[in-house]
């Protein structure tokens, strides 16, 4: 094989490798809030491979040899499929977060913690029936204590039970009285959300109970909850707690160290 043929084969190898990774990886993307469908990436990759073959001017025998090289490489290094999938998923997630824009970090008035003027924003999507959210409360409180430039934006995401929405509505009512953080911590300390624990948390937070009951039933509060549910679908996650720190999305009870590391990364990016 002469030098020109070797040079022509290089882009072909990359094109075939890309097609194989996308097809073998079975990449899926959100098409709507109700379903997931196989993306067009694999189709585009196959087209790229066909164009590379045409540009390389190789025959069927040479194509078969090149495909064998690609196949052997994947079989010897199967971990690259997982790595490629993870990278692609992160890129797609970043695009969805960009599409959501500043709405992610714009809080419902009063639903904030830490430094309200902080330059680093940590957004938490939370449900008061979520045990992992409960276990994350001390980590977030520690983060607020150690990182003085951090603002916490709480987004109520009641997805686990009907009582989750009741608690979320009262949390937003507490925010309207400037007592969201007090209710938030008291609610998680009270245990699973129910009428008794919600009332106990509201009283512990020092709410005006009559006003809170009115606000909890208001269109404004319900609209905020619906916005958060829609945001979850738009960004593409489905559980709590979910944290967004800059362009990073972190899911689950990660602990203080992971949250602090995310804040440090966001701070470096400015």
């Amino acid at each position: 094989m002469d030098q020109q043929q070797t040079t022509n084969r290089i882009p072909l190898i990359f094109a075939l490798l890309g097609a194989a990774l996308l097809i073998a990886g079975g990449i899926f993307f959100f098409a709507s809030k109700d379903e997931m469908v196989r993306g067009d990436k694999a189709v585009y990759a196959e087209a790229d491979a066909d164009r590379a073959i045409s540009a390389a001017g190789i025959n069927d025998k040479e194509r078969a040899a090149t495909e064998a090289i690609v196949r052997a490489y994947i079989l010897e290094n199967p971990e690259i499929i997982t790595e490629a999938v993870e990278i692609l998923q992160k890129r797609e997630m970043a695009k969805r977060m960009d599409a959501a824009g500043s709405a992610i970090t714009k809080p419902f008035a009063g639903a904030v913690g830490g430094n309200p003027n902080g330059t680093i924003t940590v957004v938490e999507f939370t449900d008061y029936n979520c045990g992992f959210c409960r276990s994350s409360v001390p980590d977030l409180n520690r983060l607020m204590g150690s990182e003085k430039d951090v603002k916490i934006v709480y987004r109520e995401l009641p997805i686990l039970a009907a009582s989750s929405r009741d608690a979320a509505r009262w949390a937003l009512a507490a925010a309207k009285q400037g007592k969201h953080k007090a209710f938030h911590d008291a609610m998680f300390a009270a245990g699973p959300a129910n009428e008794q624990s919600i009332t106990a948390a509201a009283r512990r937070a020092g709410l005006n109970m009559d006003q809170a009951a009115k606000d909890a039933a208001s269109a404004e509060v319900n609209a905020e909850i619906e916005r958060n549910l829609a945001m979850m679908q738009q960004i593409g996650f489905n559980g709590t707690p979910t944290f967004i720190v800059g362009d990073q999305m972190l899911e689950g009870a990660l602990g203080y160290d992971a949250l602090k590391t995310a804040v440090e990364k966001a701070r470096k990016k400015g």
Side-chain angles (χ1 to χ4, degrees), residues 105 107 112-123 149-153:
T105 56
V112 296
N115 181 354
N117 299 312
T119 55
I120 305 297
T121 300
V122 175
V123 179
D149 59 344
V150 168
K151 173 173 68 175
I152 308 296
V153 171

Side-chain angles (χ1 to χ4, degrees), residues 83-135:
E83 292 171 3
V85 170
E86 289 177 352
I87 291 171
L88 190 54
Q89 287 176 334
K90 287 179 180 179
R91 289 176 181 174
E92 293 298 320
M93 187 67 68
K95 290 178 183 179
R96 291 194 290 270
M97 286 196 292
D98 285 344
S102 61
I104 298 174
T105 56
K106 183 179 180 180
F108 183 86
V112 296
N115 181 354
N117 299 312
T119 55
I120 305 297
T121 300
V122 175
V123 179
E124 182 192 19
F125 289 84
T126 188
D127 183 309
Y128 289 107
N129 278 311
C130 170
F132 294 113
C133 297
R134 181 176 294 107
S135 67

Side-chain angles (χ1 to χ4, degrees), residues 45-259:
E46 290 178 278
D48 287 341
D50 288 339
R51 283 193 292 271
I53 290 168
S54 177
I58 66 173
N59 57 40
D60 291 342
K61 183 177 180 180
E62 290 170 333
R63 173 176 179 168
T66 303
E67 289 175 344
I69 292 172
V70 172
R71 182 177 186 278
Y73 183 82
I74 292 174
L75 291 177
E76 291 172 6
N77 302 274
E79 67 277 4
I80 67 173
I81 293 177
T82 301
E83 292 171 3
V85 170
E86 289 177 352
I87 291 171
L88 190 54
Q89 287 176 334
K90 287 179 180 179
R91 289 176 181 174
E92 293 298 320
M93 187 67 68
K95 290 178 183 179
R96 291 194 290 270
M97 286 196 292
D98 285 344
S102 61
I104 298 174
T105 56
K106 183 179 180 180
F108 183 86
V112 296
N115 181 354
N117 299 312
T119 55
I120 305 297
T121 300
V122 175
V123 179
E124 182 192 19
F125 289 84
T126 188
D127 183 309
Y128 289 107
N129 278 311
C130 170
F132 294 113
C133 297
R134 181 176 294 107
S135 67
S136 296
V137 171
D139 298 321
L140 275 176
N141 287 342
R142 182 182 173 189
L143 187 73
M144 286 181 258
S146 66
E147 309 299 315
K148 301 302 182 182
D149 59 344
V150 168
K151 173 173 68 175
I152 308 296
V153 171
Y154 296 102
R155 308 220 76 97
E156 307 298 337
L157 193 70
I159 57 176
L160 295 179
S163 61
S164 297
R165 191 176 184 104
D166 293 336
R169 291 192 295 106
W170 274 81
L172 294 172
K176 291 180 70 64
Q177 295 184 31
K179 297 180 178 180
H180 181 278
K181 181 66 167 61
F183 178 88
H184 178 86
D185 288 356
M187 187 67 240
F188 276 122
N194 54 49
E195 184 177 354
Q196 291 73 31
S197 61
I198 292 170
T199 299
R203 286 176 175 161
R204 185 175 178 181
L207 300 189
N208 178 320
M209 299 297 286
D210 290 339
Q211 185 60 49
K214 292 178 183 178
D215 289 334
S218 69
E220 178 187 13
V221 160
N222 281 292
E224 169 65 10
I225 292 172
E226 291 303 321
R227 274 193 296 271
N228 293 340
L229 292 168
M231 202 175 296
M232 173 187 70
Q233 297 292 339
Q234 180 180 10
I235 297 172
F237 64 91
N238 55 13
T240 55
T242 292
F243 301 93
I244 294 178
V245 188
D247 61 357
Q248 307 163 78
M249 191 184 78
L250 312 170
E251 297 181 85
L254 304 170
Y256 168 78
D257 291 338
L259 291 170

